[in-house]
Structures are given as C-alpha cells and as structure tokens.
C-alpha cells in the first residue's frame, strides 16, 4: 500500500501542473485584466470593479497624463505610458508569461500565494477568513444528507416495488430535478420576508447582536440563519445519496451469500445489517470525503450569493469578476490539491472498509 500511495502522490505533481498551466493559458486570452480594471476605474468607463484599495497607490489622478497614442489596453488612450508601465509592474505583467507562470508555480509549491490585487490582505488570510462559512455549509449538508438518505435508501431497497418505494422515489426525483438556487429563491419568497412569511433572516450566519447572546442562544441563532440555505442545498445531495444507497443494497441483497445466510435461519435484520450492510455501504461511505468537498467548494456558490453568505464560493466568483488573479489561481490550486488528496483518501477508505480490495495489484 505504501508504494501505491507514493505513486499517487507523485502523480499529483503533473496533474496540478496541467491544471494550472491550462488555467494560466486561458487567462492570457481573457479580456478585462487587472490593468484594464484600474484603467476603467480611472477613466470612468466601467463600474466599480475594485473592492478596495490595492497596490502601491498608483490609482491617483496625479498620474494621469495627456499623451495620446495607441495602447494594448482598451480605454488607455490619454493615459501616460509610464503610468501604464507602472501598473504592469505592480501586477507583474512586465514579465514574459512563461516567467510569470514559473514564478507562480515556485511560490505555490512553498504555499506562498502572495497578496490580493484589490484587497489589502494576503490571499491565504483571505481564504481562511471565508472558510468557516463554507465549512459550516459543506459539513452540515453532508451530514444531513447521509443521516436521512442512508436509512431511507435501505428502507426503499427492502420495500423495492412497494407503494412506499414508488412515492418516495417520486419525491426524491422531483427534489433532484429542482435546482438548489431556484428552491432557495422560493424559500426566500415564502419564508424570508417575501410575499408570505418573515420567519428567517436573509443574510449572514449570525445576527448583529450575536456576541451579546448566551451560548444556547448563539447555537439557536446559528441554525436559524442556516435553515434556509441548508434546505435549499440538501435536496440534490439527499436524492443522489438515497438512490445510491438503495441500488447498492439491491445489488447485495440479490447475491448468493444472502440466500445462504437466510437458509441458515438468520433473521432479516441479522442478514441485512450483519452481512449486507458492510458490503452495500462500501461505495456510499467511501464517497463521503468527495461529497463533503463537493458541497464545501462547489455546491454553495449560488446559495452563498442568494443568501449573502460570505464564503469561498462567493469569494471565488467575485475574484473572477474582479480579475483578482492571485485569489483565482490560489483557490484553484488549493481546491485541486485537496481534491486530489480526497480522491486518494476515498481509495484508502475502500481498502479499510473492504480488505479484499488491493490497489497495489492494479495499475494506477
């Protein structure tokens, strides 16, 4: 197993390099980079794309010249070429692309992600600042979906073809078909001060007076704010895990060892939880890390926007819009690295749950 883990870890290096290289190449052709963002702000040609003061104070009007001429940046006519050169140096665009990419990879290999272009904070501090919100959402969505879906999926497998199985399948499929963000908007309209009830808050994870509340009131306030976002996001995860559990149990129930166990006189409960459960839950439990990471990083983007939850999803979205490349590339690098390790962790969980699986005898 040690050799297999080593091979997987070594394969992460070219995988990460490929992800970063492709993303870096795409960015080179994307219009509206950080230099153009500053130019648009100075010349009044665009909306306020910057979320805060940045760099070394090159945004003052005193640097604006009157020299006319062509420029490779849209809207830069009328600005002093020396000022444009200072902007390029500030954002690192005075170097060739390959040199910039090599420097970025070298820094990222040492987990040095630099500072945000437009926020007066380091990238790693910015990510750590937003992470608690995304952890809260990802953790609770994963736990709730598993706590509901596994018992429901087992029950559906046992009652396969019954009325219970049919109507619960209809509910699960409808829940899966409804986009989480659309359901979130519906919840806001009905329960968050829309056209009907005003029972739940619209933004944030805590109230303004959170620090003044007693410990039990803080817990209640926290879950009060999470109620609508979690409800909106849990539908698709709930449906997927339920059907996965049911199909996994159905596959195991029909195998010969189950017939043999029943022939020995074991009760249905002993057969189900003493023999079937371990084999059937292999794929479900092994997928737990991946389900959490999916909810943690990707699943909350639209929900964070709808409910104004300042987490990693919203941070990534705003960074792309603002062309805050250090944040964009750092989050991509961190998420990709964690995703690769989670994939390895899932394989290791497979072997822990079922020792019959031996990845060392298979090609990576």
């Amino acid at each position: 197993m040690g050799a297999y883990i080593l091979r997987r870890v070594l394969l992460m290096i070219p995988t990460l390099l490929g992800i970063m290289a492709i993303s870096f190449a795409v960015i080179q052709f994307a219009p509206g980079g950080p230099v153009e963002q500053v130019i648009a702000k100075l010349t009044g040609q665009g909306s306020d794309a910057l979320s805060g003061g940045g760099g070394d104070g090159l945004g003052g009007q005193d640097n604006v010249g009157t020299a006319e001429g062509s420029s490779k940046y849209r809207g830069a006519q009328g600005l002093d070429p020396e000022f444009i050169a200072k902007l390029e140096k500030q954002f690192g665009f005075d170097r060739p692309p390959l040199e910039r990419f090599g420097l970025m990879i070298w820094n990222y290999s040492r987990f040095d992600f630099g500072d945000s272009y437009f926020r007066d904070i380091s990238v790693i501090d910015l990510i750590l600042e937003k992470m608690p919100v995304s952890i809260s959402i990802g953790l609770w969505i994963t736990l709730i979906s598993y706590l509901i879906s596994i018992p429901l999926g087992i029950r559906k497998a046992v009652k396969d073809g019954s009325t219970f199985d049919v109507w619960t399948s209809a509910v699960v499929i409808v829940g899966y078909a409804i986009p989480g963000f659309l359901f979130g908007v519906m919840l806001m309209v009905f329960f968050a001060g829309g056209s009907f009830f005003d029972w739940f808050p619209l933004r944030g994870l805590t109230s303004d007076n959170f620090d003044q509340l007693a410990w039990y009131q803080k817990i209640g306030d926290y879950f009060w704010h999470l109620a609508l976002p979690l409800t909106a996001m849990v539908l698709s995860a709930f449906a997927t895990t339920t059907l996965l559990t049911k199909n996994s149990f159905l596959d195991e129930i029909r195998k010969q060892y189950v017939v043999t166990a029943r022939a020995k006189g074991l009760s249905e409960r002993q057969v189900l939880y003493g023999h079937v459960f371990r084999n059937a839950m292999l794929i479900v439990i092994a997928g737990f890390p991946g389900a959490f990471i999916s909810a943690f990083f990707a699943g909350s983007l639209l929900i964070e926007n709808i409910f104004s939850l300042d987490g990693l999803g919203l941070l990534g979205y705003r960074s792309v819009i603002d062309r805050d490349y250090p944040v964009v590339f750092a989050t991509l690098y961190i998420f990709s690295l964690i995703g690769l390790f989670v994939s390895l962790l899932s394989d290791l969980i497979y072997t822990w749950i079922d020792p019959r699986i031996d990845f060392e005898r298979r090609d990576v």
Side-chain angles (χ1 to χ4, degrees):
M1 182 57 67
Y4 171 77
I5 295 175
L6 180 61
R7 288 198 302 270
R8 288 289 298 271
V9 171
L10 292 177
L11 281 174
M12 292 179 187
I13 298 175
T15 303
L16 270 177
L17 285 175
I19 293 173
M20 300 304 295
I22 293 174
S23 303
F24 186 86
V26 171
I27 287 296
Q28 303 311 303
F29 299 99
V35 175
E36 288 180 300
Q37 294 275 14
V38 175
I39 292 173
K41 182 175 176 64
L42 290 175
T43 58
Q45 296 178 3
S47 61
D48 187 6
L50 310 181
S51 57
D56 47 16
L58 296 176
Q61 293 293 335
D62 292 339
N63 293 313
V64 180
T66 58
E68 296 291 340
S70 61
S71 174
K72 62 182 178 180
Y73 297 109
R74 182 175 52 190
Q77 290 76 12
L79 296 181
D80 189 348
E82 292 185 2
F83 171 65
I84 301 298
K86 289 181 180 179
L87 280 179
E88 291 180 332
K89 184 176 181 180
Q90 174 186 347
F91 294 118
F93 294 126
D94 58 329
R95 302 178 179 180
L98 286 179
E99 183 179 347
R100 285 189 281 121
F101 177 74
L103 181 61
M104 181 184 70
I105 294 300
W106 168 248
N107 290 333
Y108 283 12
S109 66
R110 298 179 291 117
F111 292 94
D112 178 10
F113 302 109
D115 297 328
S116 167
Y117 281 163
F118 306 125
R119 300 174 176 89
D120 189 18
I121 187 174
S122 68
V123 173
I124 193 65
D125 288 339
L126 186 61
I127 292 175
L128 292 176
E129 178 185 312
K130 310 299 182 183
M131 190 170 290
V133 175
S134 296
I135 289 179
S136 295
I137 295 174
L139 181 62
W140 287 114
I141 287 174
T142 308
L143 289 178
I144 291 173
S145 66
Y146 269 67
L147 289 175
I148 296 176
S149 300
I150 290 176
L152 179 59
I154 295 174
R155 184 69 175 174
K156 286 173 62 62
V158 173
K159 299 290 185 180
D160 184 43
S162 66
T163 303
F164 172 82
D165 180 44
V166 172
W167 74 263
T168 52
S169 294
V171 172
V172 166
I173 292 173
V174 170
Y176 183 76
I178 299 177
F181 74 91
L182 178 60
F183 194 64
V185 173
M186 293 171 55
L187 291 175
M188 290 178 60
V189 171
F190 280 94
F191 302 111
S195 304
F196 297 90
F197 307 102
D198 189 9
W199 293 349
F200 296 94
L202 274 175
R203 60 181 65 249
L205 283 181
T206 57
S207 300
D208 293 336
N209 64 336
F210 182 79
D211 293 335
Q212 303 172 5
L213 300 176
W215 66 269
Y216 58 90
Q217 292 175 319
K218 289 182 178 180
I219 295 176
D221 182 76
Y222 169 74
F223 283 106
W224 182 47
H225 282 76
L226 272 180
L228 295 187
L230 288 183
T231 303
M233 291 186 64
V234 80
L235 285 180
S236 59
F238 164 78
T240 302
T241 311
T242 298
L243 295 179
L244 180 63
T245 303
K246 176 192 172 181
N247 293 333
S248 182
F249 266 78
L250 282 178
D251 289 341
E252 294 297 324
I253 287 175
R254 295 165 180 168
K255 291 183 177 179
Q256 184 62 41
Y257 75 89
V258 176
V259 178
T260 303
R262 287 171 175 166
K264 291 180 178 180
L266 297 179
S267 66
E268 193 65 22
R269 186 177 184 85
Q270 289 175 318
V271 171
L272 190 62
Y273 292 100
H275 293 76
V276 176
F277 185 84
R278 178 175 180 176
N279 295 326
M281 290 304 298
L282 175 62
I283 188 172
V284 179
I285 296 176
F288 183 88
F292 170 68
I293 293 299
S294 177
F296 181 27
F297 290 130
S300 60
L301 171 57
L302 293 174
I303 298 299
E304 286 182 11
N305 275 277
I306 292 172
F307 292 99
S308 300
L309 301 175
D310 197 9
L312 291 175
L314 190 58
L315 172 65
Y317 171 76
R318 289 176 175 171
S319 299
V320 171
I321 296 300
D322 294 344
R323 302 299 192 269
D324 197 347
Y325 293 153
V327 179
V328 173
F329 285 121
T331 52
L332 175 65
Y333 179 84
I334 294 173
F335 294 174
S336 300
L337 184 62
I338 293 178
L340 292 172
F341 274 106
V342 165
S343 176
L344 175 59
L345 179 61
S346 296
D347 289 346
L348 297 180
I349 291 177
Y350 271 115
T351 62
W352 176 64
I353 295 176
D354 190 350
R356 296 172 298 177
I357 299 177
D358 188 359
F359 288 106
E360 288 190 340
R361 297 181 181 179
R362 301 173 58 185
D363 294 333
V364 179

